[in-house]
Amino acid sequence: MTEQATTSAVRHEVRVPLDRERAFKLFTKDIGSWWPSDTHKISEGPVSEVFESHEGGRWYEVAEDGSQCTVGTILEWDPPARFVMSWDLTPDWNPETDLERATKLEVRFEDHDDGGTRVALEHRGFEAYGESGANMRVQVSGEGGWPTLMNLYAERAAA
C-alpha cells in the first residue's frame, strides 16, 4: 500500500460482483446501506452514516439529536482506485483529535478478471498507541471487526 506496511497491520480483502466505480460508491457514499450502525457506532441511540467523498472530507455518524461523531478523515481520494483515511478513534473508541497519532485505513479497488472488483482493506499504525494499540488491533481483526464488516459489504454488493 502507500506507506511501508508493518507486521501489525490488519488486512482483509473480498471480491464483489460490481465494477470498480460501483464498488467504490457502495463502500463510500452508500456506506449506510451496509454498515451495521445498530452494533458498530460510537454515539448513543440510532445513528446514520455519512461519508464525504473528497480529500479532507469525513466519515461521521449523525445521532438522532443531530450531534456528530467523526470516525475518520479522508487523507487521499482517488476514485475509483483507492482512498486513505485517518481512523479518528482511540483504542477506547473515543474521538482522536491528533491526526498524527490516529491509525490509518486504506482501501483499494482493483479490477478482477471475472468482471468484478477485488476490494483490499489495510488498517495500520496501531503501534502509535503502544499496548492499547495492540488491543485495538485484536478487536478490529477479530469477530465483529474488519473481516465481518468486509463480508457484510460483499453481501450487500451481491444483493
Side-chain angles (χ1 to χ4, degrees), residues 105-116:
L105 186 72
E106 180 172 357
V107 183
R108 290 184 167 280
F109 301 80
E110 300 170 354
D111 289 329
H112 191 266
D113 54 3
D114 66 3

Side-chain angles (χ1 to χ4, degrees), residues 79-101:
R82 66 186 272 278
F83 69 89
V84 178
M85 62 180 266
S86 59
W87 184 255
D88 298 347
L89 300 171
T90 68
D92 296 326
W93 306 107
N94 292 311
E96 175 59 79
T97 56
D98 181 357
L99 294 186
E100 293 298 317
R101 185 174 166 138

